Amino acid sequence: IAAARIDAGDARAFAERGKRWPWFSFLEVGYEVGPGVPGGLGWTFQAGVEVPLFDTNRAGVVAAGAAQNAARRTLAAEVERVTREVRARLREARAAAVLVTELRARALPATERAAAAARQALEGRHIDVIRALTVDERRVMMELRVLTSVRRYRAAVNELRRAAGGRLPIESERGSGGRPH
C-alpha cells in the first residue's frame, strides 16, 4: 500500500508540474458560408491557449512533493516496523528451538535413566511404590514440558511466517516445516 502511495504521489507530482506549461483550452475548425465569402476561402480556425503567467501552480507542485515525501517516509517506517517484527519473531523461534533441543538432549535422558533406576529398585524391593511413582510422575511432567516447548516453538515459527509474509527460506530448502535439531 505504501509503495502504491509513492506511485500515486509521483503521478500527482507529474500532473501538477504539467500545469505550469501552456495548454490548449479549446480548438475549433469551421467553414463559413455566406454571400460575402469567396468560394473555398471560408475556412476558420480558432485555438485557445492558457498561459500560466500569474499562477505557475507552485502550491500544487509543493503539495505533491510533500505528499511524495510523506509516502516515502511511510514506506520506510513500514519496512522498519516489519523488519523489527520479523527479527523479534526470529529471536523467539530460535530461543524456543534451543529450549526444545536442550530438553531433548539433557532432561529427557536424565528422567528416563531415573525412571529406569526407580523401576529396577522397585523390582529389587529397594524402593517403595510411592517413591517410584513420584519418579515416574516427574518423568511424565518432563515429557509434558518438552511437548509444551515444542508447541511454543511451532507457534513461534508460525508467527515468524506470518511476519515474513509466507514460507521461510530455510523451509524451501528442506521442503517441510523445519524442526529444531
Side-chain angles (χ1 to χ4, degrees):
I1 292 172
R5 286 184 181 146
I6 288 175
D7 292 342
D10 289 341
R12 180 176 171 213
F14 180 77
E16 293 295 335
R17 281 191 302 271
K19 291 179 182 177
R20 290 179 159 181
W21 303 102
W23 288 94
F24 285 107
S25 60
F26 72 91
L27 194 59
E28 186 178 298
V29 176
Y31 187 79
E32 291 184 18
V33 178
V37 178
L41 298 177
W43 291 100
T44 61
F45 176 77
Q46 294 179 356
V49 177
E50 290 182 21
V51 180
L53 291 177
F54 300 109
D55 181 18
T56 58
N57 198 27
R58 180 179 168 90
V61 172
V62 169
Q68 275 182 306
N69 290 336
R72 286 189 183 106
R73 282 192 303 274
T74 301
L75 177 63
E78 186 66 19
V79 167
E80 182 64 29
R81 185 192 65 77
V82 169
T83 301
R84 278 194 313 268
E85 183 178 351
V86 168
R87 286 181 181 158
R89 299 295 180 235
L90 181 60
R91 278 192 303 273
E92 289 174 14
R94 284 181 177 164
V98 166
L99 180 63
V100 169
T101 303
E102 287 291 318
L103 287 175
R104 283 184 176 165
R106 293 186 178 162
L108 279 182
T111 57
E112 289 296 329
R113 284 191 305 270
R119 277 192 302 275
Q120 202 174 34
L122 187 61
E123 288 173 3
R125 298 185 192 258
H126 299 295
I127 191 173
D128 64 346
V129 175
I130 299 295
R131 190 132 167 116
L133 288 175
T134 302
V135 170
D136 196 47
E137 178 187 12
R138 288 186 180 153
R139 180 189 59 80
V140 170
M141 292 301 287
M142 185 52 66
E143 288 177 0
L144 183 61
R145 186 171 175 202
V146 169
L147 291 175
T148 303
S149 298
V150 169
R151 180 174 169 222
R152 182 175 158 230
Y153 168 74
R154 292 289 184 185
V157 169
N158 284 335
E159 285 296 316
L160 178 59
R161 276 191 204 115
R162 185 194 59 75
R167 289 185 71 92
L168 302 175
I170 200 159
E171 290 177 346
S172 299
E173 293 169 9
R174 283 194 243 177
S176 68
R179 295 168 103 181
H181 299 292

